[in-house]
Amino acid sequence: MIPSLFPLCHAITMITSARHAINVPPLLSFLKSIHSFSSLPHVLITPGFSLSSSSRRPLSSSAAGMGSLSDPFPPLPYPPARRDDSVVYNYHGALVPDPYNWLEDSNSEETKAFVESQAALTNSFLAECGVRERLRQKITALFDHPRYDTPFKRGGKYFYFHNSGLQAQSVLYVQSDLDSEAEVLLDPNALSDDGTVALSTAAISRDGRYLAYGLSSSGSDWVTIKVMRIDDKKPESDTVSWVKFSSISWTHDGKGFFYGRYPAPKEGGDVDAGTETDINLDHQLCYHFLGTDQLEDILCWKDPENPKHIFNAIVTEDGKYVTLTITEGCDPVNKLYYCDLSTLSGGLADFKGCQDILPFIKLVDNFEAQYEVVANDDTEFTFLTNKEAPRYKLVRVDLSKPEIWTDVLVEDQRDVLESVYAVNGDQLLVCYLSDVKHILQIRDLQTGLFLHDLPIEMGTVTGISGKRKDAEIFIGFTSFLTPGVIYKCNLSSEAPEMKVFRDVSVPDFDKDDFQVKQVFVSSKDGTKIPMFIVSRKDITLDGSHPILLYGYGGFNISLTPSFSVGRIVLARNLRFVVCIANIRGGGEYGEEWHKAGSLSRKQNCFDDFIAASEFLISSGYTNSRKLCIEGGSNGGLLVAACINQRPDLFGCALAHVGVMDMLRFHKFTIGHAWTSDYGCSDTEDEFQWLIKYSPLHNVKRPWDKSSDSSTQYPPTMLLTADHDDRVVPLHSLKLLATMQYILCTSLENSPQKNPIIARIDLKSGHGAGRPTQKLIDEAADRYGFAAKMMGVSWND
């Protein structure tokens, strides 16, 4: 949908639409987080039946035991970490110590020494994880298959991304038509020796002459924009720096493009971009003229009175207007302004060297709802919105009569209208989310009336490419057991058919060996929570199976079905049952579902995830010793909060790049944008919500409040990276030091025998742009750790 902001997700998947040439997931998702997760080789998920709560069995005695091993490891030699008890913050009269506050300085020698010692401990421990190398080999073998993104058309040419298998980064190709030989247009792998320079965003000018593309290094959110001539593949001199949370949108004359940027960090050119923690404020919308220095760029919009606002500009398909969306957080709400470019007598060039910003007209000047442009016919605009429609609808307004808004496609009573594209003249390609599976339809643009279904299996639409002037569209699709399919569809026929254009095949993988179910689990308050269960077909419900349970639950992000090589290897070779819980806080059922897991109701997320865990035990899938939970970013917070609240329930915990300090997250980089979902400790009522579940502030010795003195925390791996400037590493580092101290090093003969370690990756960020080898290595490390901790053996 629209641009917004949070801890990222998924190595940024290029998704094309009728509105953008190449487009990162709209800012609202881009700034958000790691749902299906980029540190996994690909991704995973799919459907089935429901079980009522009455079919549950009571927890077995093994389920009631702690997440410990029958043969625990000897205590680890945890590196000492200085505690500074003098650091205490006063929150509305409550004094809260922060003894590891010094870890917030990532550049201090003391922090670097702490990281090095923890990394050495983890490396020595992982060396003893027996199946790790077999996992690495098998994941590598299955990962080595060709992959394609949805092709798109621009300036009469076709473009697409392709990875031959083990290439660090996917390569951008161009071809004059679908039957001609494709040529490499841009190969990011040639830009660094280790594959850590990634192509994070790109846009092609309307005439197909120029490619503007954004490069990020080591996974940082900071982007540098470059320009290339497409015909001869020659680079232009343009360099646009300090870009963040921005699309690239060309004006139709091909003279330049709109983009968003922040002021350079305080350290200026000397900073290692991505390692700084300074708060991101004072975003600006700019326009860059091709062939000029960035210093000559036009400042199109700024708002110094609201330094946390973020701006994104998109030029309409007819080239007449540029729309400006303004967001202040991660909620799906935005202001919407527009500028009629045809009224600028001297064009944008008249604004060079002057202090005037563009004369935007305010169409929506509040943060009550979200508005995304779908199409326009001169002054008549069609928008996708959640205004009085938590599952979204289509509305229309004439800019000459801005007070009159009419419904084009009303809100569905059950399904979420997730995205809409104007195609084939006056038609709409609409994508609904129905019980966490996508449905595609063709409707009439003017009336919203249904015309055709575009049948797809139960799974996820990964990309849609098409223009309003074209009858030809491309649709990307995946599911838990479908590595990837690209369909081509001609909408000019009376009965459009989805024809396979490309079909991804994974060596040594047979989907018929697996099964997928969707169940609905009763949470603590009776709410039914969807959960996908993926397993081998030969499974028996004897309570013995290792489980990987993944969750997210935040920021209106939905976990939909997709394919993961790493998880397929787990299911096949380690006989894991892989589960994805669609807990509240996500977008699976629209804004009501999202709001039910945010702010004062955040505890619902943890209750839902715990209920899903208990269901898997009571239904005979597993026992607590073999239940591994995993999540990233907001999902890392989920995992950490759940092991604090129910350490007895889990056999292993993998928490990636989590938001762990809920009292100070808003003080670093883009953290202030997440207050829309979490609240902020600066406000007393919201502090009271946060302190109750903040992972950093709720580590307790479980044996102190249990009749079983051997109860302990499950084996835990915290994962972070040195260039994560979305959820900065200090979150995981402070929690690591706190857990090791409270549970282990502060006691003689501590009952905590299960290891608590961290995997701290170098030249990596929050997940986007991570090269293939790093994806494989991390999957082998974390799943090798889980297998050893839960006593799982290899099966060929």
Side-chain angles (χ1 to χ4, degrees):
M1 294 187 178
I2 310 186
S4 171
L5 359 118
F6 180 63
L8 168 80
C9 111
H10 205 77
I12 294 179
T13 303
M14 299 292 184
I15 297 181
T16 57
S17 77
R19 296 180 292 288
H20 313 114
I22 310 176
N23 186 24
V24 294
L27 240 23
L28 222 76
S29 297
F30 176 60
L31 295 177
K32 289 185 180 177
S33 194
I34 295 190
H35 54 295
S36 9
F37 222 138
S38 66
S39 35
L40 312 178
H42 271 159
V43 237
L44 176 74
I45 333 183
T46 309
F49 64 92
S50 68
L51 282 175
S52 65
S53 58
S54 61
S55 66
R56 293 188 182 186
R57 301 194 298 271
L59 295 183
S60 64
S61 58
S62 63
M66 80 274 169
S68 65
L69 294 170
S70 57
D71 181 19
F73 290 93
L76 289 179
Y78 295 110
R82 177 175 64 88
R83 286 178 63 84
D84 185 351
D85 294 320
S86 68
V87 180
V88 179
Y89 291 104
N90 186 329
Y91 293 95
H92 317 286
L95 300 180
V96 180
D98 193 3
Y100 299 108
N101 182 268
W102 54 270
L103 285 167
E104 293 182 1
D105 183 357
S106 60
N107 293 315
S108 76
E109 293 304 316
E110 189 175 22
T111 298
K112 292 176 182 177
F114 175 83
V115 169
E116 289 173 3
S117 61
Q118 293 289 345
L121 173 69
T122 298
N123 290 338
S124 64
F125 189 87
L126 289 177
E128 301 300 318
C129 294
V131 302
R132 182 173 67 143
E133 288 309 312
R134 298 183 80 169
L135 277 168
R136 191 190 321 274
Q137 293 169 12
K138 185 63 70 172
I139 291 172
T140 300
L142 263 67
F143 211 89
D144 192 7
H145 65 273
R147 299 181 294 283
Y148 298 86
D149 281 352
T150 312
F152 57 94
K153 192 175 182 181
R154 199 70 167 170
K157 303 181 180 70
Y158 289 88
F159 302 84
Y160 66 92
F161 286 88
H162 168 57
N163 192 305
S164 62
L166 296 178
Q167 288 178 292
Q169 305 286 343
S170 292
V171 177
L172 178 59
Y173 285 82
V174 60
Q175 54 190 148
S176 57
D177 58 65
L178 294 178
D179 296 321
S180 65
E181 184 176 353
E183 301 177 6
V184 173
L185 178 59
L186 179 61
D187 183 1
N189 301 293
L191 302 178
S192 62
D193 293 334
D194 55 6
T196 57
V197 172
L199 179 60
S200 63
T201 183
I204 292 165
S205 61
R206 180 179 176 82
D207 59 11
R209 293 182 61 195
Y210 295 102
L211 165 69
Y213 57 96
L215 300 176
S216 63
S217 297
S218 301
S220 169
D221 281 338
W222 289 115
V223 168
T224 299
I225 298 175
K226 300 282 190 178
V227 179
M228 170 191 291
R229 293 203 306 260
I230 291 176
D231 284 345
D232 57 11
K233 305 177 182 61
K234 292 291 180 63
E236 295 289 326
S237 60
D238 305 70
T239 298
V240 178
S241 302
W242 302 116
V243 178
K244 210 176 207 186
F245 309 136
S246 175
S247 60
I248 300 171
S249 190
W250 288 87
T251 47
H252 278 207
D253 57 14
K255 292 181 178 179
F257 50 83
F258 293 97
Y259 69 95
R261 62 160 294 172
Y262 283 102
K266 296 173 184 176
E267 296 87 347
D270 297 330
V271 68
D272 183 3
T275 62
E276 79 292 339
T277 61
D278 299 340
I279 189 169
N280 296 143
L281 298 173
D282 299 312
H283 201 246
Q284 299 174 346
L285 177 68
C286 300
Y287 183 85
H288 175 74
F289 283 94
L290 196 62
T292 65
D293 191 280
Q294 186 176 6
L295 294 174
E296 299 177 41
D297 289 356
I298 295 172
L299 177 61
C300 301
W301 191 261
K302 63 178 180 178
D303 189 353
E305 293 184 2
N306 293 285
K308 295 179 181 179
H309 285 182
I310 291 183
F311 313 115
N312 191 62
I314 297 293
V315 176
T316 56
E317 189 59 29
D318 63 2
K320 183 177 179 181
Y321 299 94
V322 57
T323 60
L324 171 64
T325 56
I326 302 174
T327 53
E328 64 175 353
C330 289
D331 260 356
V333 297
N334 62 276
K335 296 182 179 183
L336 183 70
Y337 303 166
Y338 68 91
C339 177
D340 186 344
L341 296 174
S342 67
T343 63
L344 306 180
S345 58
L348 290 167
D350 276 358
F351 291 84
K352 275 191 172 184
C354 73
Q355 300 301 310
D356 295 336
I357 57 177
L358 294 191
F360 281 101
I361 297 172
K362 299 176 180 180
L363 181 63
V364 178
D365 198 26
N366 57 59
F367 289 115
E368 293 180 353
Q370 175 174 310
Y371 298 85
E372 178 187 357
V373 178
V374 172
N376 75 292
D377 290 292
D378 196 18
T379 59
E380 189 175 75
F381 276 69
T382 302
F383 296 99
L384 177 65
T385 184
N386 56 13
K387 172 73 169 176
E388 300 175 347
R391 289 178 298 280
Y392 294 82
K393 65 180 180 180
L394 285 183
V395 296
R396 184 166 295 140
V397 65
D398 193 315
L399 300 182
S400 64
K401 302 173 183 177
E403 69 283 356
I404 303 175
W405 294 71
T406 57
D407 288 352
V408 178
L409 178 57
V410 299
E411 177 189 29
D412 191 84
Q413 294 184 355
R414 185 174 179 276
D415 298 336
V416 180
L417 182 58
E418 194 168 82
S419 59
V420 183
Y421 304 89
V423 293
N424 191 32
D426 287 332
Q427 292 184 346
L428 296 172
L429 173 54
V430 303
C431 182
Y432 282 99
L433 189 63
S434 177
D435 278 336
V436 207
K437 289 94 64 178
H438 281 143
I439 293 173
L440 290 176
Q441 298 175 348
I442 299 296
R443 290 180 174 267
D444 183 80
L445 171 61
Q446 297 305 316
T447 65
L449 292 176
F450 172 84
L451 299 176
H452 307 285
D453 277 317
L454 293 182
I456 55 175
E457 297 176 12
M458 291 182 289
T460 298
V461 173
T462 58
I464 293 175
S465 167
K467 293 286 184 183
R468 191 171 175 184
K469 64 181 180 180
D470 296 329
E472 175 188 75
I473 62 171
F474 296 92
I475 298 168
F477 175 83
T478 186
S479 73
F480 284 114
L481 304 181
T482 305
V485 180
I486 298 172
Y487 295 101
K488 180 182 174 185
C489 184
N490 188 337
L491 297 177
S492 62
S493 63
E494 290 187 7
E497 292 183 38
M498 299 273 283
K499 296 183 178 180
V500 174
F501 177 69
R502 287 193 175 111
D503 193 356
V504 173
S505 177
V506 176
D508 197 26
F509 166 69
D510 187 348
K511 65 187 301 181
D512 292 334
D513 294 339
F514 302 90
Q515 62 185 355
V516 180
K517 299 177 182 179
Q518 187 183 38
V519 299
F520 291 83
V521 178
S522 289
S523 190
K524 184 178 181 178
D525 63 359
T527 301
K528 296 294 186 181
I529 307 302
M531 178 166 62
F532 293 110
I533 300 177
V534 184
S535 68
R536 293 171 56 125
K537 282 185 175 177
D538 55 3
I539 186 175
T540 56
L541 298 182
D542 59 2
S544 67
H545 306 289
I547 293 277
L548 178 70
L549 174 62
Y550 191 88
Y552 184 75
F555 298 91
N556 197 39
I557 292 289
S558 303
L559 295 186
T560 59
S562 56
F563 187 82
S564 165
V565 164
R567 292 172 179 174
I568 287 295
V569 171
L570 281 187
R572 186 175 66 182
N573 297 106
L574 294 177
R575 297 187 179 271
F576 268 76
V577 177
V578 177
C579 306
I580 285 78
N582 297 108
I583 64 178
R584 283 173 285 185
E588 286 85 350
Y589 293 100
E591 263 302 279
E592 292 169 346
W593 194 256
H594 169 216
K595 292 301 184 185
S598 63
L599 300 174
S600 63
R601 296 190 281 182
K602 187 64 178 175
Q603 181 60 39
N604 284 337
C605 302
F606 315 134
D607 290 343
D608 293 352
F609 203 57
I610 288 169
S613 302
E614 291 177 331
F615 170 88
L616 291 167
I617 295 169
S618 65
S619 298
Y621 283 94
T622 193
N623 60 74
S624 64
R625 286 184 54 246
K626 290 194 173 182
L627 175 56
C628 177
I629 55 174
E630 182 177 25
S633 200
N634 177 72
L637 157 64
L638 170 72
V639 168
C642 285
I643 62 174
N644 278 341
Q645 295 182 16
R646 287 294 307 275
D648 62 297
L649 190 57
F650 310 109
C652 189
L654 306 173
H656 304 248
V657 292
V659 187
M660 306 305 194
D661 186 344
M662 300 309 297
L663 304 185
R664 289 177 57 75
F665 70 85
H666 58 292
K667 296 182 178 294
F668 308 103
T669 61
I670 197 58
H672 60 79
W674 317 332
T675 58
S676 58
D677 237 60
Y678 295 144
C680 180
S681 62
D682 293 344
T683 302
E684 184 171 2
D685 288 347
E686 297 174 7
F687 164 76
Q688 296 298 335
W689 310 336
L690 295 164
I691 192 64
K692 290 177 182 177
Y693 71 82
S694 175
L696 181 65
H697 302 96
N698 285 279
V699 179
K700 304 289 193 300
R701 295 167 181 163
W703 52 84
D704 286 345
K705 56 181 180 179
S706 171
S707 57
D708 184 353
S709 61
S710 65
T711 301
Q712 58 177 308
Y713 270 60
T716 300
M717 176 184 282
L718 306 178
L719 298 95
T720 187
D722 65 339
H723 282 72
D724 187 351
D725 49 0
R726 188 77 59 86
V727 180
V728 288
L730 65 88
H731 283 277
S732 294
L733 299 183
K734 289 169 69 174
L735 179 61
L736 177 68
T738 300
M739 291 179 71
Q740 289 179 351
Y741 175 77
I742 292 176
L743 302 174
C744 306
T745 61
S746 61
L747 299 173
E748 289 188 18
N749 300 317
S750 170
Q752 181 66 37
K753 306 302 181 184
N754 291 328
I756 298 169
I757 61 175
R759 187 184 190 277
I760 306 167
D761 203 9
L762 302 180
K763 298 190 74 176
S764 287
H766 197 65
R770 190 169 294 181
T772 296
Q773 191 60 53
K774 281 186 174 290
L775 298 179
I776 293 170
D777 290 343
E778 187 191 274
D781 285 354
R782 70 180 188 278
Y783 292 150
F785 172 78
K788 185 174 183 66
M789 294 300 94
M790 299 192 301
V792 179
S793 57
W794 187 267
N795 291 276
D796 284 319

